[in-house]
């Protein structure tokens, strides 16, 4: 079992719709969870992170965490063509330190 | 302020040659990370440093890979000898102490023929 799993996609949504990206992780002791966006040919950039169960909102983005189910998701409201990118889920394993384990990413396509 | 700087941006070399990738972290950041990204394996952490000291090198694939951080503003990742399976994009990232955000450089696209 991979430590961090994501559906590779592509996930296609129409402009203005809600895009839902999902991620599961294997280490139950993980404490911090991150969503990065990576445009084709570019480097990853952090969108948001979440520590606690529940929802965290930042503009059009909402991260959702369910530690019991070992599941973290990212919702993008009012999707725009500029949101088309690969979204990487990352998990900080227990034990401290700054190490992140990344999923392989989900490609999102927002269609006009 | 300048972001993370990596050089070269592209490298094409032949199998068996030595490859050296360079990284300058954001000024004031004390953590530095080297990642490798491929289609098959995604983004993998190779090694990271705190205050110029290697903390975790468990992701370094084998002895052909080595990394150094001689000072707070410079790090190298060396592959010797290089092999075609080393072809990937290599990213350097940095962060400041206690901060969650890692800032990635533009990456070095390595092709080993």
């Amino acid at each position: 079992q991979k430590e961090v799993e994501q559906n590779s996609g592509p996930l296609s949504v129409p402009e203005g719709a809600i895009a839902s990206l999902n991620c599961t992780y294997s280490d139950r002791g993980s404490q911090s969870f991150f969503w990065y966006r990576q445009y084709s040919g570019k480097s990853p950039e952090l969108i948001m992170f979440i520590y606690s169960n529940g929802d965290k909102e930042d503009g059009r983005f909402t991260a959702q965490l369910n530690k019991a189910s070992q599941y973290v998701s990212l919702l993008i409201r009012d999707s725009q063509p500029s949101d088309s990118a690969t979204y990487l889920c990352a998990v900080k394993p227990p034990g401290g330190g700054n190490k992140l384990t990344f999923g392989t990413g989900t490609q999102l396509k927002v269609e006009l | 302020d300048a972001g993370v700087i990596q050089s070269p941006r592209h490298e094409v070399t032949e199998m068996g040659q030595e490859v050296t990738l360079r990284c300058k972290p954001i000024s004031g950041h004390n953590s530095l990370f080297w990642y490798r990204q491929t289609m098959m394996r995604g983004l993998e952490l190779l090694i990271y440093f705190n205050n110029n000291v290697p903390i975790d090198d468990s992701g370094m694939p084998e002895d052909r890979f080595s990394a150094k951080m001689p000072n707070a503003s410079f790090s190298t990742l060396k592959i010797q000898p290089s092999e075609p399976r080393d072809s990937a994009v290599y990213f350097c990232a940095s962060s400041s102490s206690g901060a969650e955000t890692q800032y990635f450089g533009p990456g070095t696209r390595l092709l080993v023929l």
Side-chain angles (χ1 to χ4, degrees), chain A residues 13-33:
Chain A
V13 299
E15 184 178 6
I18 296 175
S20 177
L21 304 160
N22 305 315
C23 172
T24 58
Y25 58 95
S26 61
D27 194 328
R28 186 170 289 276
S30 299
Q31 296 294 320
S32 308
F33 308 86

Side-chain angles (χ1 to χ4, degrees), chain B residues 21-22 27 31-32 37 46-47 59 61 65 70 72-73 75 80 83 91 93 97 108 111:
Chain B
L21 311 181
R22 298 172 176 79
S27 178
S31 295
L32 183 139
Q37 188 172 40
L46 300 177
I47 185 171
F65 285 69
S73 60
S75 177
Q80 166 64 15
E83 298 182 2
F91 288 105
S97 179
T108 296
L111 178 61

Side-chain angles (χ1 to χ4, degrees), chain B residues 55-66:
Chain B
I55 301 301
D56 186 339
D57 65 354
S58 59
M60 296 287 263
E62 49 198 271
D63 291 346
R64 297 185 298 106
F65 285 69
S66 62

